[in-house]
PDB file of all heavy atoms in Angstrom:
ATOM      1  N   LEU A   9       8.211 -14.444  -8.883  1.00 96.00           N
ATOM      2  CA  LEU A   9       8.001 -12.994  -8.961  1.00 96.00           C
ATOM      3  C   LEU A   9       9.059 -12.332  -9.840  1.00 96.00           C
ATOM      4  O   LEU A   9       8.742 -11.451 -10.644  1.00 96.00           O
ATOM      5  CB  LEU A   9       8.042 -12.368  -7.563  1.00 96.00           C
ATOM      6  CG  LEU A   9       6.793 -12.529  -6.729  1.00 96.00           C
ATOM      7  CD1 LEU A   9       7.061 -12.090  -5.296  1.00 96.00           C
ATOM      8  CD2 LEU A   9       5.644 -11.738  -7.334  1.00 96.00           C
ATOM      9  N   THR A  10      10.307 -12.743  -9.661  1.00 97.00           N
ATOM     10  CA  THR A  10      11.394 -12.174 -10.461  1.00 97.00           C
ATOM     11  C   THR A  10      11.170 -12.459 -11.935  1.00 97.00           C
ATOM     12  O   THR A  10      11.318 -11.574 -12.779  1.00 97.00           O
ATOM     13  CB  THR A  10      12.755 -12.730 -10.003  1.00 97.00           C
ATOM     14  OG1 THR A  10      12.937 -12.386  -8.619  1.00 97.00           O
ATOM     15  CG2 THR A  10      13.892 -12.171 -10.830  1.00 97.00           C
ATOM     16  N   SER A  11      10.788 -13.684 -12.253  1.00 96.00           N
ATOM     17  CA  SER A  11      10.559 -14.070 -13.643  1.00 96.00           C
ATOM     18  C   SER A  11       9.388 -13.310 -14.265  1.00 96.00           C
ATOM     19  O   SER A  11       9.479 -12.831 -15.390  1.00 96.00           O
ATOM     20  CB  SER A  11      10.302 -15.576 -13.711  1.00 96.00           C
ATOM     21  OG  SER A  11       9.959 -15.970 -15.014  1.00 96.00           O
ATOM     22  N   LYS A  12       8.292 -13.187 -13.536  1.00 97.00           N
ATOM     23  CA  LYS A  12       7.089 -12.568 -14.087  1.00 97.00           C
ATOM     24  C   LYS A  12       7.081 -11.047 -14.012  1.00 97.00           C
ATOM     25  O   LYS A  12       6.528 -10.381 -14.891  1.00 97.00           O
ATOM     26  CB  LYS A  12       5.845 -13.099 -13.375  1.00 97.00           C
ATOM     27  CG  LYS A  12       5.504 -14.519 -13.733  1.00 97.00           C
ATOM     28  CD  LYS A  12       4.188 -14.927 -13.105  1.00 97.00           C
ATOM     29  CE  LYS A  12       3.806 -16.325 -13.561  1.00 97.00           C
ATOM     30  NZ  LYS A  12       2.489 -16.727 -13.085  1.00 97.00           N
ATOM     31  N   HIS A  13       7.649 -10.487 -12.905  1.00 97.00           N
ATOM     32  CA  HIS A  13       7.493  -9.054 -12.674  1.00 97.00           C
ATOM     33  C   HIS A  13       8.804  -8.306 -12.461  1.00 97.00           C
ATOM     34  O   HIS A  13       8.779  -7.089 -12.269  1.00 97.00           O
ATOM     35  CB  HIS A  13       6.578  -8.822 -11.471  1.00 97.00           C
ATOM     36  CG  HIS A  13       5.248  -9.479 -11.617  1.00 97.00           C
ATOM     37  ND1 HIS A  13       4.271  -9.023 -12.471  1.00 97.00           N
ATOM     38  CD2 HIS A  13       4.736 -10.576 -11.008  1.00 97.00           C
ATOM     39  CE1 HIS A  13       3.209  -9.802 -12.385  1.00 97.00           C
ATOM     40  NE2 HIS A  13       3.465 -10.767 -11.515  1.00 97.00           N
ATOM     41  N   GLY A  14       9.920  -9.017 -12.435  1.00 96.00           N
ATOM     42  CA  GLY A  14      11.210  -8.362 -12.277  1.00 96.00           C
ATOM     43  C   GLY A  14      11.720  -8.410 -10.844  1.00 96.00           C
ATOM     44  O   GLY A  14      10.971  -8.645  -9.894  1.00 96.00           O
ATOM     45  N   ALA A  15      13.021  -8.140 -10.715  1.00 95.00           N
ATOM     46  CA  ALA A  15      13.678  -8.197  -9.409  1.00 95.00           C
ATOM     47  C   ALA A  15      13.112  -7.161  -8.450  1.00 95.00           C
ATOM     48  O   ALA A  15      13.040  -7.404  -7.242  1.00 95.00           O
ATOM     49  CB  ALA A  15      15.181  -8.003  -9.574  1.00 95.00           C
ATOM     50  N   GLY A  16      12.686  -6.017  -8.951  1.00 96.00           N
ATOM     51  CA  GLY A  16      12.124  -4.985  -8.086  1.00 96.00           C
ATOM     52  C   GLY A  16      10.861  -5.440  -7.389  1.00 96.00           C
ATOM     53  O   GLY A  16      10.653  -5.157  -6.205  1.00 96.00           O
ATOM     54  N   ALA A  17      10.017  -6.155  -8.104  1.00 96.00           N
ATOM     55  CA  ALA A  17       8.773  -6.660  -7.510  1.00 96.00           C
ATOM     56  C   ALA A  17       9.086  -7.694  -6.436  1.00 96.00           C
ATOM     57  O   ALA A  17       8.471  -7.685  -5.365  1.00 96.00           O
ATOM     58  CB  ALA A  17       7.874  -7.265  -8.586  1.00 96.00           C
ATOM     59  N   ALA A  18      10.039  -8.566  -6.693  1.00 96.00           N
ATOM     60  CA  ALA A  18      10.423  -9.570  -5.699  1.00 96.00           C
ATOM     61  C   ALA A  18      11.019  -8.893  -4.476  1.00 96.00           C
ATOM     62  O   ALA A  18      10.728  -9.283  -3.333  1.00 96.00           O
ATOM     63  CB  ALA A  18      11.414 -10.564  -6.296  1.00 96.00           C
ATOM     64  N   ARG A  19      11.823  -7.863  -4.686  1.00 96.00           N
ATOM     65  CA  ARG A  19      12.423  -7.122  -3.569  1.00 96.00           C
ATOM     66  C   ARG A  19      11.331  -6.442  -2.725  1.00 96.00           C
ATOM     67  O   ARG A  19      11.336  -6.499  -1.500  1.00 96.00           O
ATOM     68  CB  ARG A  19      13.426  -6.103  -4.089  1.00 96.00           C
ATOM     69  CG  ARG A  19      14.267  -5.452  -3.042  1.00 96.00           C
ATOM     70  CD  ARG A  19      15.430  -4.617  -3.606  1.00 96.00           C
ATOM     71  NE  ARG A  19      15.234  -4.092  -4.937  1.00 96.00           N
ATOM     72  CZ  ARG A  19      15.693  -4.649  -6.078  1.00 96.00           C
ATOM     73  NH1 ARG A  19      16.377  -5.779  -6.032  1.00 96.00           N
ATOM     74  NH2 ARG A  19      15.478  -4.096  -7.246  1.00 96.00           N
ATOM     75  N   THR A  20      10.365  -5.822  -3.398  1.00 96.00           N
ATOM     76  CA  THR A  20       9.265  -5.171  -2.685  1.00 96.00           C
ATOM     77  C   THR A  20       8.468  -6.186  -1.885  1.00 96.00           C
ATOM     78  O   THR A  20       8.128  -5.953  -0.725  1.00 96.00           O
ATOM     79  CB  THR A  20       8.349  -4.426  -3.675  1.00 96.00           C
ATOM     80  OG1 THR A  20       9.122  -3.409  -4.329  1.00 96.00           O
ATOM     81  CG2 THR A  20       7.159  -3.797  -2.971  1.00 96.00           C
ATOM     82  N   TYR A  21       8.173  -7.322  -2.487  1.00 95.00           N
ATOM     83  CA  TYR A  21       7.436  -8.386  -1.803  1.00 95.00           C
ATOM     84  C   TYR A  21       8.192  -8.832  -0.548  1.00 95.00           C
ATOM     85  O   TYR A  21       7.606  -8.974   0.531  1.00 95.00           O
ATOM     86  CB  TYR A  21       7.238  -9.553  -2.766  1.00 95.00           C
ATOM     87  CG  TYR A  21       6.428 -10.699  -2.224  1.00 95.00           C
ATOM     88  CD1 TYR A  21       5.038 -10.662  -2.238  1.00 95.00           C
ATOM     89  CD2 TYR A  21       7.044 -11.838  -1.717  1.00 95.00           C
ATOM     90  CE1 TYR A  21       4.285 -11.732  -1.752  1.00 95.00           C
ATOM     91  CE2 TYR A  21       6.307 -12.897  -1.237  1.00 95.00           C
ATOM     92  CZ  TYR A  21       4.925 -12.845  -1.261  1.00 95.00           C
ATOM     93  OH  TYR A  21       4.186 -13.891  -0.776  1.00 95.00           O
ATOM     94  N   GLY A  22       9.499  -9.028  -0.680  1.00 95.00           N
ATOM     95  CA  GLY A  22      10.314  -9.431   0.463  1.00 95.00           C
ATOM     96  C   GLY A  22      10.351  -8.366   1.538  1.00 95.00           C
ATOM     97  O   GLY A  22      10.222  -8.671   2.729  1.00 95.00           O
ATOM     98  N   GLN A  23      10.512  -7.107   1.149  1.00 95.00           N
ATOM     99  CA  GLN A  23      10.566  -6.017   2.123  1.00 95.00           C
ATOM    100  C   GLN A  23       9.251  -5.877   2.888  1.00 95.00           C
ATOM    101  O   GLN A  23       9.249  -5.682   4.105  1.00 95.00           O
ATOM    102  CB  GLN A  23      10.910  -4.702   1.419  1.00 95.00           C
ATOM    103  CG  GLN A  23      12.335  -4.632   0.939  1.00 95.00           C
ATOM    104  CD  GLN A  23      12.596  -3.427   0.050  1.00 95.00           C
ATOM    105  OE1 GLN A  23      11.682  -2.792  -0.463  1.00 95.00           O
ATOM    106  NE2 GLN A  23      13.867  -3.122  -0.145  1.00 95.00           N
ATOM    107  N   VAL A  24       8.146  -5.984   2.175  1.00 92.00           N
ATOM    108  CA  VAL A  24       6.840  -5.862   2.818  1.00 92.00           C
ATOM    109  C   VAL A  24       6.618  -7.014   3.792  1.00 92.00           C
ATOM    110  O   VAL A  24       6.144  -6.817   4.916  1.00 92.00           O
ATOM    111  CB  VAL A  24       5.718  -5.800   1.757  1.00 92.00           C
ATOM    112  CG1 VAL A  24       4.351  -5.969   2.377  1.00 92.00           C
ATOM    113  CG2 VAL A  24       5.806  -4.504   0.977  1.00 92.00           C
ATOM    114  N   ASN A  25       6.980  -8.221   3.393  1.00 91.00           N
ATOM    115  CA  ASN A  25       6.817  -9.369   4.283  1.00 91.00           C
ATOM    116  C   ASN A  25       7.736  -9.269   5.495  1.00 91.00           C
ATOM    117  O   ASN A  25       7.329  -9.572   6.620  1.00 91.00           O
ATOM    118  CB  ASN A  25       7.058 -10.672   3.527  1.00 91.00           C
ATOM    119  CG  ASN A  25       5.831 -11.118   2.780  1.00 91.00           C
ATOM    120  OD1 ASN A  25       4.932 -11.683   3.377  1.00 91.00           O
ATOM    121  ND2 ASN A  25       5.772 -10.843   1.497  1.00 91.00           N
ATOM    122  N   GLU A  26       8.967  -8.838   5.305  1.00 92.00           N
ATOM    123  CA  GLU A  26       9.888  -8.666   6.431  1.00 92.00           C
ATOM    124  C   GLU A  26       9.399  -7.570   7.367  1.00 92.00           C
ATOM    125  O   GLU A  26       9.493  -7.695   8.590  1.00 92.00           O
ATOM    126  CB  GLU A  26      11.301  -8.355   5.927  1.00 92.00           C
ATOM    127  CG  GLU A  26      12.010  -9.549   5.330  1.00 92.00           C
ATOM    128  CD  GLU A  26      12.340 -10.615   6.354  1.00 92.00           C
ATOM    129  OE1 GLU A  26      13.109 -10.335   7.300  1.00 92.00           O
ATOM    130  OE2 GLU A  26      11.817 -11.739   6.236  1.00 92.00           O
ATOM    131  N   ALA A  27       8.858  -6.486   6.813  1.00 91.00           N
ATOM    132  CA  ALA A  27       8.302  -5.413   7.644  1.00 91.00           C
ATOM    133  C   ALA A  27       7.110  -5.922   8.454  1.00 91.00           C
ATOM    134  O   ALA A  27       6.941  -5.561   9.626  1.00 91.00           O
ATOM    135  CB  ALA A  27       7.895  -4.223   6.772  1.00 91.00           C
ATOM    136  N   ALA A  28       6.298  -6.763   7.845  1.00 89.00           N
ATOM    137  CA  ALA A  28       5.152  -7.335   8.560  1.00 89.00           C
ATOM    138  C   ALA A  28       5.616  -8.216   9.711  1.00 89.00           C
ATOM    139  O   ALA A  28       5.048  -8.168  10.810  1.00 89.00           O
ATOM    140  CB  ALA A  28       4.261  -8.123   7.605  1.00 89.00           C
ATOM    141  N   LEU A  29       6.651  -9.005   9.496  1.00 91.00           N
ATOM    142  CA  LEU A  29       7.189  -9.849  10.568  1.00 91.00           C
ATOM    143  C   LEU A  29       7.724  -8.996  11.715  1.00 91.00           C
ATOM    144  O   LEU A  29       7.485  -9.294  12.894  1.00 91.00           O
ATOM    145  CB  LEU A  29       8.297 -10.752  10.032  1.00 91.00           C
ATOM    146  CG  LEU A  29       7.869 -11.843   9.071  1.00 91.00           C
ATOM    147  CD1 LEU A  29       9.084 -12.550   8.493  1.00 91.00           C
ATOM    148  CD2 LEU A  29       6.947 -12.835   9.736  1.00 91.00           C
ATOM    149  N   ALA A  30       8.438  -7.934  11.380  1.00 92.00           N
ATOM    150  CA  ALA A  30       8.961  -7.029  12.407  1.00 92.00           C
ATOM    151  C   ALA A  30       7.819  -6.356  13.159  1.00 92.00           C
ATOM    152  O   ALA A  30       7.861  -6.210  14.387  1.00 92.00           O
ATOM    153  CB  ALA A  30       9.883  -5.989  11.775  1.00 92.00           C
ATOM    154  N   TRP A  31       6.766  -5.969  12.439  1.00 88.00           N
ATOM    155  CA  TRP A  31       5.610  -5.330  13.058  1.00 88.00           C
ATOM    156  C   TRP A  31       4.931  -6.284  14.035  1.00 88.00           C
ATOM    157  O   TRP A  31       4.573  -5.908  15.146  1.00 88.00           O
ATOM    158  CB  TRP A  31       4.633  -4.867  11.988  1.00 88.00           C
ATOM    159  CG  TRP A  31       3.421  -4.192  12.535  1.00 88.00           C
ATOM    160  CD1 TRP A  31       3.289  -2.877  12.848  1.00 88.00           C
ATOM    161  CD2 TRP A  31       2.153  -4.805  12.831  1.00 88.00           C
ATOM    162  NE1 TRP A  31       2.019  -2.631  13.325  1.00 88.00           N
ATOM    163  CE2 TRP A  31       1.307  -3.801  13.328  1.00 88.00           C
ATOM    164  CE3 TRP A  31       1.668  -6.107  12.730  1.00 88.00           C
ATOM    165  CZ2 TRP A  31      -0.003  -4.056  13.718  1.00 88.00           C
ATOM    166  CZ3 TRP A  31       0.367  -6.369  13.125  1.00 88.00           C
ATOM    167  CH2 TRP A  31      -0.452  -5.343  13.609  1.00 88.00           C
ATOM    168  N   ILE A  32       4.764  -7.531  13.630  1.00 88.00           N
ATOM    169  CA  ILE A  32       4.140  -8.527  14.500  1.00 88.00           C
ATOM    170  C   ILE A  32       4.968  -8.708  15.770  1.00 88.00           C
ATOM    171  O   ILE A  32       4.429  -8.708  16.882  1.00 88.00           O
ATOM    172  CB  ILE A  32       3.952  -9.871  13.762  1.00 88.00           C
ATOM    173  CG1 ILE A  32       2.880  -9.732  12.686  1.00 88.00           C
ATOM    174  CG2 ILE A  32       3.621 -10.997  14.740  1.00 88.00           C
ATOM    175  CD1 ILE A  32       2.824 -10.897  11.712  1.00 88.00           C
ATOM    176  N   ALA A  33       6.275  -8.863  15.627  1.00 91.00           N
ATOM    177  CA  ALA A  33       7.148  -9.051  16.793  1.00 91.00           C
ATOM    178  C   ALA A  33       7.077  -7.837  17.715  1.00 91.00           C
ATOM    179  O   ALA A  33       7.023  -7.981  18.942  1.00 91.00           O
ATOM    180  CB  ALA A  33       8.580  -9.310  16.341  1.00 91.00           C
ATOM    181  N   GLU A  34       7.023  -6.657  17.141  1.00 91.00           N
ATOM    182  CA  GLU A  34       6.944  -5.426  17.933  1.00 91.00           C
ATOM    183  C   GLU A  34       5.617  -5.366  18.679  1.00 91.00           C
ATOM    184  O   GLU A  34       5.564  -4.990  19.842  1.00 91.00           O
ATOM    185  CB  GLU A  34       7.116  -4.205  17.021  1.00 91.00           C
ATOM    186  CG  GLU A  34       7.220  -2.885  17.767  1.00 91.00           C
ATOM    187  CD  GLU A  34       5.866  -2.257  18.072  1.00 91.00           C
ATOM    188  OE1 GLU A  34       4.937  -2.394  17.262  1.00 91.00           O
ATOM    189  OE2 GLU A  34       5.738  -1.635  19.152  1.00 91.00           O
ATOM    190  N   ARG A  35       4.529  -5.738  18.023  1.00 87.00           N
ATOM    191  CA  ARG A  35       3.210  -5.713  18.669  1.00 87.00           C
ATOM    192  C   ARG A  35       3.137  -6.726  19.801  1.00 87.00           C
ATOM    193  O   ARG A  35       2.558  -6.454  20.850  1.00 87.00           O
ATOM    194  CB  ARG A  35       2.101  -6.012  17.655  1.00 87.00           C
ATOM    195  CG  ARG A  35       1.860  -4.945  16.623  1.00 87.00           C
ATOM    196  CD  ARG A  35       1.468  -3.638  17.248  1.00 87.00           C
ATOM    197  NE  ARG A  35       0.247  -3.728  18.008  1.00 87.00           N
ATOM    198  CZ  ARG A  35      -0.775  -2.904  17.886  1.00 87.00           C
ATOM    199  NH1 ARG A  35      -0.727  -1.917  17.024  1.00 87.00           N
ATOM    200  NH2 ARG A  35      -1.850  -3.044  18.628  1.00 87.00           N
ATOM    201  N   VAL A  36       3.695  -7.893  19.604  1.00 88.00           N
ATOM    202  CA  VAL A  36       3.704  -8.912  20.650  1.00 88.00           C
ATOM    203  C   VAL A  36       4.436  -8.374  21.874  1.00 88.00           C
ATOM    204  O   VAL A  36       3.953  -8.493  23.009  1.00 88.00           O
ATOM    205  CB  VAL A  36       4.340 -10.226  20.139  1.00 88.00           C
ATOM    206  CG1 VAL A  36       4.672 -11.173  21.275  1.00 88.00           C
ATOM    207  CG2 VAL A  36       3.426 -10.887  19.124  1.00 88.00           C
ATOM    208  N   GLU A  37       5.591  -7.770  21.648  1.00 92.00           N
ATOM    209  CA  GLU A  37       6.384  -7.210  22.749  1.00 92.00           C
ATOM    210  C   GLU A  37       5.662  -6.029  23.392  1.00 92.00           C
ATOM    211  O   GLU A  37       5.494  -5.982  24.611  1.00 92.00           O
ATOM    212  CB  GLU A  37       7.756  -6.770  22.215  1.00 92.00           C
ATOM    213  CG  GLU A  37       8.655  -6.164  23.262  1.00 92.00           C
ATOM    214  CD  GLU A  37       9.155  -7.182  24.276  1.00 92.00           C
ATOM    215  OE1 GLU A  37       9.255  -8.370  23.939  1.00 92.00           O
ATOM    216  OE2 GLU A  37       9.449  -6.770  25.418  1.00 92.00           O
ATOM    217  N   ARG A  38       5.231  -5.092  22.587  1.00 89.00           N
ATOM    218  CA  ARG A  38       4.592  -3.864  23.094  1.00 89.00           C
ATOM    219  C   ARG A  38       3.308  -4.144  23.861  1.00 89.00           C
ATOM    220  O   ARG A  38       3.059  -3.569  24.902  1.00 89.00           O
ATOM    221  CB  ARG A  38       4.286  -2.911  21.938  1.00 89.00           C
ATOM    222  CG  ARG A  38       3.767  -1.550  22.413  1.00 89.00           C
ATOM    223  CD  ARG A  38       3.335  -0.710  21.272  1.00 89.00           C
ATOM    224  NE  ARG A  38       1.894  -0.948  21.101  1.00 89.00           N
ATOM    225  CZ  ARG A  38       1.180  -0.490  20.105  1.00 89.00           C
ATOM    226  NH1 ARG A  38       1.751   0.189  19.157  1.00 89.00           N
ATOM    227  NH2 ARG A  38      -0.099  -0.729  20.046  1.00 89.00           N
ATOM    228  N   ASP A  39       2.491  -5.044  23.348  1.00 84.00           N
ATOM    229  CA  ASP A  39       1.195  -5.312  23.959  1.00 84.00           C
ATOM    230  C   ASP A  39       1.241  -6.456  24.970  1.00 84.00           C
ATOM    231  O   ASP A  39       0.215  -6.813  25.544  1.00 84.00           O
ATOM    232  CB  ASP A  39       0.154  -5.624  22.880  1.00 84.00           C
ATOM    233  CG  ASP A  39      -0.087  -4.441  21.954  1.00 84.00           C
ATOM    234  OD1 ASP A  39       0.259  -3.296  22.321  1.00 84.00           O
ATOM    235  OD2 ASP A  39      -0.630  -4.665  20.857  1.00 84.00           O
ATOM    236  N   GLY A  40       2.429  -7.050  25.174  1.00 89.00           N
ATOM    237  CA  GLY A  40       2.557  -8.141  26.131  1.00 89.00           C
ATOM    238  C   GLY A  40       1.696  -9.344  25.781  1.00 89.00           C
ATOM    239  O   GLY A  40       1.123  -9.981  26.650  1.00 89.00           O
ATOM    240  N   ILE A  41       1.644  -9.662  24.486  1.00 83.00           N
ATOM    241  CA  ILE A  41       0.803 -10.764  24.024  1.00 83.00           C
ATOM    242  C   ILE A  41       1.502 -12.088  24.326  1.00 83.00           C
ATOM    243  O   ILE A  41       2.616 -12.325  23.884  1.00 83.00           O
ATOM    244  CB  ILE A  41       0.506 -10.634  22.521  1.00 83.00           C
ATOM    245  CG1 ILE A  41      -0.233  -9.324  22.256  1.00 83.00           C
ATOM    246  CG2 ILE A  41      -0.288 -11.835  22.016  1.00 83.00           C
ATOM    247  CD1 ILE A  41      -0.339  -8.967  20.787  1.00 83.00           C
ATOM    248  N   ASP A  42       0.846 -12.940  25.071  1.00 85.00           N
ATOM    249  CA  ASP A  42       1.399 -14.240  25.453  1.00 85.00           C
ATOM    250  C   ASP A  42       1.042 -15.258  24.372  1.00 85.00           C
ATOM    251  O   ASP A  42       0.050 -15.968  24.473  1.00 85.00           O
ATOM    252  CB  ASP A  42       0.838 -14.674  26.803  1.00 85.00           C
ATOM    253  CG  ASP A  42       1.443 -15.982  27.294  1.00 85.00           C
ATOM    254  OD1 ASP A  42       2.479 -16.406  26.736  1.00 85.00           O
ATOM    255  OD2 ASP A  42       0.872 -16.575  28.215  1.00 85.00           O
ATOM    256  N   CYS A  43       1.843 -15.295  23.318  1.00 83.00           N
ATOM    257  CA  CYS A  43       1.515 -16.165  22.187  1.00 83.00           C
ATOM    258  C   CYS A  43       2.662 -17.096  21.812  1.00 83.00           C
ATOM    259  O   CYS A  43       2.607 -17.771  20.800  1.00 83.00           O
ATOM    260  CB  CYS A  43       1.112 -15.329  20.985  1.00 83.00           C
ATOM    261  SG  CYS A  43       2.455 -14.297  20.355  1.00 83.00           S
ATOM    262  N   ASP A  44       3.728 -17.112  22.618  1.00 85.00           N
ATOM    263  CA  ASP A  44       4.861 -18.001  22.366  1.00 85.00           C
ATOM    264  C   ASP A  44       5.500 -17.742  21.003  1.00 85.00           C
ATOM    265  O   ASP A  44       5.887 -18.680  20.295  1.00 85.00           O
ATOM    266  CB  ASP A  44       4.437 -19.463  22.504  1.00 85.00           C
ATOM    267  CG  ASP A  44       5.633 -20.398  22.653  1.00 85.00           C
ATOM    268  OD1 ASP A  44       6.679 -19.951  23.146  1.00 85.00           O
ATOM    269  OD2 ASP A  44       5.518 -21.570  22.257  1.00 85.00           O
TER     270      ASP A  44
END
C-alpha cells in the first residue's frame, strides 16, 4: 500500500482495520456473544 498509494493510504488502511477489531471486541462484550 505504501509503495502504490503512499504512507497515508497505508495508515488509513491500518486505522480502519484496527477500528474494526475494536468494534468487534466491543460488540462481543456488549452483546454477551459467547464466541471465545
Side-chain angles (χ1 to χ4, degrees):
L9 282 170
T10 300
S11 175
K12 288 186 176 185
H13 304 287
R19 190 170 26 263
T20 298
Y21 183 82
Q23 289 171 344
V24 168
N25 277 280
E26 286 292 298
L29 292 173
W31 180 86
I32 290 168
E34 187 274 326
R35 291 300 299 230
V36 166
E37 179 70 27
R38 187 187 93 187
D39 297 342
I41 299 169
D42 184 14
C43 64
D44 197 27

